[in-house]
Amino acid sequence: MSDILQNPSPRAAWLRKLYFTRAAFSFAWVALAFTVAKQSPALATVLLIVYPAWDAFANLWDARMSGGAQANPTQMLNLWMSTLVALAVAASLVAGWQVVLLIFGVWAIVSGLLQLATALRRRKAERGQWVMMLSGAQSALAGGLFISRQGTDAPIPQTLAGYAAVGAVYFLISGVVILVRERRR
């Protein structure tokens, strides 16, 4: 079942809402990671599980509103990948932060490539997808950086918060691009 939006104007409005919502969530997550989570390992742990879980939910929400599961295989794959990552992060926290960094690195690569594929698929019907293409490519590169930083003294929650902040900016820019294009019509 899906809440398919056929008309381009409601689809654009939907994507704008999704992108602004994702930006707001990520900015709030980053603020918590750089403030409260620095003093609270328990909150840092919760944040590291919530981030991929939120991504899973956002991909499900997007797929439902954009034609359903069959029309959005990359988002559905991203949904399952993000769900597995949230579970893997929860399970791996007993093994230490470095394992979490490896999991996030692999996830950033795969989800970035899936986001890039989704944006490429959408680019003809939905203008302004160039920002999401850049975001997907940047995510994949960041994942490689996370993997390469394993074993360093980098603070894991704050390192990942930097990644989330960049993603939030991409979602914000995408929402603004759609808003500007809607106003020009």
Side-chain angles (χ1 to χ4, degrees), residues 128-147:
Q129 290 298 303
W130 61 270
V131 181
M132 289 292 95
M133 289 182 221
L134 288 174
S135 177
Q138 178 272 329
S139 179
L141 290 172
L145 179 67
F146 295 159
I147 292 169

Side-chain angles (χ1 to χ4, degrees), residues 64-116:
R64 277 194 62 145
M65 296 299 289
S66 302
Q70 288 185 332
N72 296 287
T74 54
Q75 288 162 288
M76 296 310 295
L77 187 55
N78 214 343
L79 158 71
W80 290 110
M81 176 76 171
S82 296
T83 301
L84 290 173
V85 166
L87 295 171
V89 167
S92 71
L93 284 165
V94 295
W97 292 107
Q98 293 302 317
V99 174
V100 172
L101 188 60
L102 174 65
I103 292 168
F104 262 84
V106 172
W107 176 54
I109 291 168
V110 175
S111 68
L113 293 174
L114 291 169
Q115 182 180 5
L116 176 61

Side-chain angles (χ1 to χ4, degrees), residues 117-170:
T118 299
L120 285 168
R121 179 178 43 81
R122 282 184 169 165
R123 76 182 186 283
K124 290 180 184 170
E126 305 297 333
R127 303 184 73 178
Q129 290 298 303
W130 61 270
V131 181
M132 289 292 95
M133 289 182 221
L134 288 174
S135 177
Q138 178 272 329
S139 179
L141 290 172
L145 179 67
F146 295 159
I147 292 169
S148 74
R149 293 193 72 177
Q150 261 198 296
T152 66
D153 291 335
I156 306 307
Q158 287 72 38
T159 298
L160 298 174
Y163 165 75
V166 172
V169 169
Y170 280 124

Side-chain angles (χ1 to χ4, degrees), residues 2-26:
S2 71
D3 300 319
I4 301 170
L5 297 173
Q6 300 294 340
N7 190 334
S9 184
R11 270 197 326 256
W14 152 247
L15 281 177
R16 183 190 72 232
K17 179 181 178 180
L18 173 69
Y19 293 158
F20 284 151
T21 301
R22 291 195 74 169
F25 175 89
S26 293

Side-chain angles (χ1 to χ4, degrees), residues 52-71:
W54 160 253
D55 190 73
F57 172 76
N59 274 288
L60 175 63
W61 190 27
D62 189 5
R64 277 194 62 145
M65 296 299 289
S66 302
Q70 288 185 332

